[in-house]
Amino acid sequence: MTTLALVPMDVAGRLGRLRARLGGAGCEALLVTRLGNIRYLTGFTGSAALLLVLPDETVFVTDGRYATQAPEQLGAAGVEARIEISGPAQLQVLHDAATGIARLGLEANDVTWGAQRRYASEGFPELELVATEGLVEGLRLVKDDGEIARIEAAAAIADAALAQVRPRLGAGLTEKDFQLELDHAMRLLGADDVSFETIVGSGPNGAKPHARPSRRRIVEGDLVVLDFGALLDGYHSDISRTVMVGEPSATQTRMLEVVAASQSAGVDAVQPGTDAASVDKVCRDVIADAGWGDFFLHGTGHGVGLDIHEDPRVAATSTATLAPGHVVTVEPGVYLPEHGGVRIEDTLVVTPTGHRRLTNAPKDFSLS
Ligand code: ZN
């Protein structure tokens, strides 16, 4: 599984779709500063770049470290852009390229206060700077086939890794030891990295939804919450499973049943045209009916893609409506300090007729 043939992505088509959104945001051009957005629009994976999207030209500025990589990656993606390799004069290059426009959009959720002041005073003093939100992120909501293939392949790596190491939860390891074995298995199966710091929460630690793995030894009577994912070609996967070591108590059995019922109801609710907030409500109602409404301590889910947490959010406050191509998690949980934690999470892609599950590790709670 270390060599993966992945469906190509239509990177080059994205700039045109972005341009079509600029007028509605009140600007003629957009300075893209968020690196994940630059990657999405150009295929560039480096750690420093600026992208100026003008009405009929795209200017990509980076520094000398990427003098070879940038033309290679933009070329491979079929992106037509003027590539400028520049040191301290980057703002001057962008200023000169923006001659002739009046209103320049900035990514308000990325640009720092200091950067905004620099753009206003030194970079583009003649231009009106417009705060924009979600212009590129709005495109990123709907994944193309290549993106879905990457998330699915990353999820398959995580599933296979868990299958390999799952019995080791009964071997008296510490949380940190098990984390290392799971992460190692994902890397050997072809992951570029872990998607985020793997969560291994055993016993009382499992009742803290985002506990960092500790030196606590996993023992009989523990529920163990595992939340992890693989990173592949920039795309994340995300899955949670809960495993019971030894025999569950009556309360633990009930927790496992209730969370499984909640999660399954939430998964069923993921359909095109459904409000994300109603998926959250479906999950929450099952847990509230069991009397544990106050112990479901987080939102139900989130979008997954180039970022591990992105739109659409699946929460009570979400205003999103699910649509084909959205990739979201459903991950309710119950956390009781005296009994432990239970969380079950799948990642789903919304399809024209319903959804498809991308995470397929078994959901039973046994060790193997
Ligand atoms: Zn998640």
Side-chain angles (χ1 to χ4, degrees):
M1 238 164 128
T2 42
T3 50
L4 290 153
L6 293 164
V7 185
M9 293 185 289
D10 174 29
V11 174
R14 296 169 182 167
L15 278 166
R17 291 201 290 280
L18 174 61
R19 282 196 174 88
R21 294 168 67 92
L22 298 184
C27 53
E28 296 152 78
L30 181 68
L31 181 63
V32 185
T33 48
R34 210 177 147 199
L35 275 173
N37 289 345
I38 293 174
R39 178 176 189 153
Y40 179 76
L41 294 168
T42 68
F44 177 72
T45 61
S47 63
L50 295 165
L51 186 73
L52 180 60
V53 182
L54 294 156
D56 35 37
E57 188 190 22
T58 305
V59 182
F60 177 98
V61 182
T62 186
D63 61 65
R65 291 173 296 167
Y66 298 112
T68 306
Q69 178 181 329
E72 279 176 3
Q73 291 187 318
L74 271 64
V79 171
E80 284 181 35
R82 172 152 67 88
I83 298 175
E84 297 278 356
I85 308 299
S86 176
Q90 291 191 350
L91 269 187
Q92 187 64 46
V93 169
L94 293 167
H95 167 270
D96 294 349
T99 304
I101 65 157
R103 295 184 313 281
L104 174 65
L106 299 180
E107 297 187 291
N109 291 322
D110 182 72
V111 173
T112 63
W113 191 3
Q116 191 276 338
R117 288 162 61 108
R118 211 159 49 245
Y119 294 144
S121 61
E122 299 166 37
F124 311 98
E126 310 91 342
L127 301 189
E128 182 190 337
L129 298 179
V130 178
T132 72
E133 288 189 42
L135 281 175
V136 183
E137 289 81 357
L139 297 175
R140 284 173 50 180
L141 275 176
V142 176
K143 274 72 178 172
D144 66 31
D145 290 349
E147 295 183 281
I148 293 166
R150 282 156 179 77
I151 298 168
E152 188 161 26
I157 288 171
D159 287 347
L162 178 61
Q164 284 182 8
V165 302
R166 184 176 178 129
R168 299 277 291 155
L169 281 168
L173 303 180
T174 67
E175 292 173 351
K176 276 178 179 289
D177 289 338
F178 185 79
Q179 172 193 32
L180 186 62
E181 295 199 6
L182 182 54
D183 292 355
H184 187 69
M186 286 195 283
R187 294 295 295 264
L188 283 179
L189 286 163
D192 295 323
D193 200 344
V194 295
S195 206
F196 53 90
E197 185 181 12
T198 293
I199 293 171
V200 182
S202 67
N205 293 341
K208 302 169 230 166
H210 269 206
R212 304 185 71 182
S214 75
R215 294 197 160 75
R216 182 184 184 279
R217 213 163 278 289
I218 298 164
V219 296
E220 293 264 316
D222 281 352
L223 288 164
V224 187
V225 178
L226 307 171
D227 189 344
F228 60 102
L231 184 73
L232 189 67
D233 198 23
Y235 285 83
H236 296 78
S237 78
D238 195 0
I239 182 171
S240 301
R241 292 292 184 261
T242 300
V243 176
M244 183 69 220
V245 180
E247 287 305 309
S249 68
T251 302
Q252 286 170 330
T253 300
R254 180 96 184 105
M255 290 167 75
L256 291 162
E257 286 168 358
V258 168
V259 174
S262 164
Q263 205 262 350
S264 151
V267 166
D268 289 346
V270 171
Q271 306 282 338
T274 300
D275 293 334
S278 74
V279 177
D280 180 88
K281 184 170 183 337
V282 162
C283 288
R284 215 163 282 284
D285 283 352
V286 174
I287 291 174
D289 287 350
W292 285 325
D294 291 340
F295 303 97
F296 175 11
L297 304 169
H298 49 77
T300 288
H302 52 87
V304 178
L306 284 170
D307 287 314
I308 179 61
H309 296 127
E310 57 180 49
D311 288 336
R313 309 283 157 172
V314 183
T317 52
S318 179
T319 55
T321 301
L322 298 178
H326 288 183
V327 174
V328 293
T329 69
V330 175
E331 49 179 309
V334 167
Y335 308 92
L336 305 175
E338 280 163 27
H339 305 276
V342 175
R343 179 164 67 256
I344 304 171
E345 171 183 30
D346 283 311
T347 300
L348 316 165
V349 57
V350 182
T351 64
T353 53
H355 65 258
R356 189 159 61 82
R357 203 145 61 89
L358 303 180
T359 43
N360 290 296
K363 289 187 191 168
D364 67 273
F365 312 109
S366 61
L367 265 179
S368 52

